[in-house]
Each structure stands twice: as structure tokens, then as C-alpha cells.
């Protein structure tokens, strides 16, 4: 099965989209977990569906906020960003924040558990970017269930064996 281009997807769903949720996390290389279908965040509701992907609508204002959090490289379904496909993809910190906020509001965006993330693949700025992403979505860490657990992993401050690879230094 051929991977559709960004233009083909836009033509089929009739609106802009971003790769989000677990798909953005996998694409960034922050996990080795596999996902069956890409998760696409859409500008508003989309009539119908697109075979082989999960469509997750966002209000226009939220989608506009997400647009400023795009990764400049693009999406690759196998997690290898250097071969970007042209699909716009959220930065992983915002992908986590957006998925958690969406689930808080009754949505179904898939997100990997904190212990499925690999802290060795994250930059040192990940905790601050995650906090900024939540703030951009209008929430604080303390108001989002599980956000403190993700923050621990992003900061690599979890208990040994929980969201941590190898010993601390």
C-alpha cells in the first residue's frame, strides 16, 4: 500500500491535518512501540473517514495553536524523520500535551504510556517544551491527569524501571 502525499490526504478529507498522538511520538523516535494506523489531527470535524488512518478533529482555534508546533522535518511511518514524507507532524512534546488534553475533554487520541517512551531520545529541553505546550492549550500540568508522569519521563526523573533506560548519572 502506497503512502498518500499530504496533498492527496487534504483532497480526500477536505481540510488541513497534522500527524499527532502516538504517531508523532513514534515518528520522532521517542518509542519503539508500533502503531497500526497513523493518527491525524484535523481542522474541525471531517465528514466520512480515510481508510487506514484515525481522524481526530480539533476546534479551529486549537488546530491553529497546533500549527505553530509543527516539526520541520515531516512524518515517516517507520519513525525515520530524515526521509520526511511531507506530512505535517506535531513536535513530540505537543503531541503528548494535545493527546492528554483531548482525552481530558472526552476525545480518543491515542498516546503511549509514559513507560513506553525512551528518555534517551529526548532533548534536555523536553520538559520545558511540554509545559509550554500545555500552556499553549490553556492548561497546567497539575490539571491534566497523567501529565506529571509524562513530565517525570521527559525530565528523566522517574523511578528506576519506570520511564527510564539505564542508570542515572
Amino acid at each position: 500500500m502506497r503512502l498518500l502525499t499530504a496533498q492527496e490526504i487534504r483532497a480526500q478529507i477536505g481540510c488541513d491535518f497534522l500527524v499527532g498522538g502516538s504517531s508523532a511520538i513514534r515518528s520522532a523516535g521517542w518509542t519503539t512501540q508500533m502503531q497500526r494506523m497513523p493518527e491525524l489531527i484535523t481542522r474541525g470535524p471531517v465528514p466520512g473517514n480515510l481508510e487506514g488512518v484515525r481522524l481526530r478533529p480539533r476546534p479551529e482555534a486549537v488546530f491553529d495553536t497546533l500549527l505553530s508546533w509543527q516539526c520541520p522535518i515531516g512524518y515517516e511511518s517507520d519513525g525515520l524523520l530524515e526521509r520526511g514524507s511531507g506530512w505535517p507532524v506535531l513536535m513530540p512534546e505537543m503531541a503528548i500535551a494535545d493527546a492528554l488534553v483531548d482525552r481530558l475533554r472526552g476525545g480518543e487520541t491515542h498516546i503511549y504510556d509514559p513507560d513506553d517512551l525512551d528518555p534517551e531520545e529526548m532533548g534536555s529541553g523536553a520538559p520545558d517544551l511540554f509545559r509550554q505546550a500545555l500552556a499553549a492549550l490553556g492548561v497546567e500540568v497539575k490539571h491534566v491527569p497523567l501529565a506529571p508522569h509524562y513530565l517525570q519521563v521527559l525530565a528523566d526523573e522517574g523511578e528506576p524501571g519506570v520511564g527510564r533506560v539505564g542508570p542515572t548519572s
Side-chain angles (χ1 to χ4, degrees):
M1 186 167 133
R2 178 178 77 81
L3 190 65
L4 297 175
T5 68
Q7 292 77 18
E8 290 170 327
I9 291 174
R10 278 188 199 94
Q12 287 191 32
I13 64 174
C15 67
D16 289 332
F17 73 94
L18 293 162
V19 175
S22 292
S23 298
I25 303 305
R26 170 81 178 148
S27 186
W30 283 19
T31 186
T32 57
Q33 299 292 315
M34 299 301 291
Q35 190 178 14
R36 291 179 300 190
M37 292 189 287
E39 195 117 23
L40 301 183
I41 308 300
T42 62
R43 181 189 297 274
V46 175
N49 60 27
L50 183 61
E51 185 178 339
V53 300
R54 291 185 181 105
L55 299 175
R56 305 296 189 205
R58 297 292 185 273
E60 287 191 27
V62 172
F63 191 87
D64 289 343
T65 298
L66 297 178
L67 281 175
S68 65
W69 285 82
Q70 285 184 68
C71 179
I73 300 172
Y75 175 75
E76 240 344 284
S77 59
D78 62 0
L80 301 175
L81 288 173
E82 58 269 18
R83 292 193 326 241
S85 67
W87 288 21
V89 61
L90 283 176
M91 292 174 60
E93 297 88 352
M94 177 54 93
I96 294 169
D98 171 66
L100 292 175
V101 171
D102 179 57
R103 294 173 75 88
L104 179 68
R105 296 176 177 159
E108 298 178 345
T109 301
H110 184 265
I111 188 68
Y112 294 115
D113 291 331
D115 62 348
D116 289 331
L117 303 180
D118 184 355
E120 290 183 356
E121 296 299 321
M122 303 168 193
S124 61
D128 289 335
L129 285 172
F130 178 62
R131 283 187 197 94
Q132 290 171 26
L134 285 171
L137 295 171
V139 296
E140 295 179 43
V141 170
K142 65 184 177 184
H143 296 226
V144 181
L146 295 178
H149 301 290
Y150 284 93
L151 189 57
Q152 281 183 329
V153 171
L154 293 172
D156 197 19
E157 296 172 354
E159 294 294 320
V162 178
R164 183 178 286 261
V165 177
T168 60
S169 48

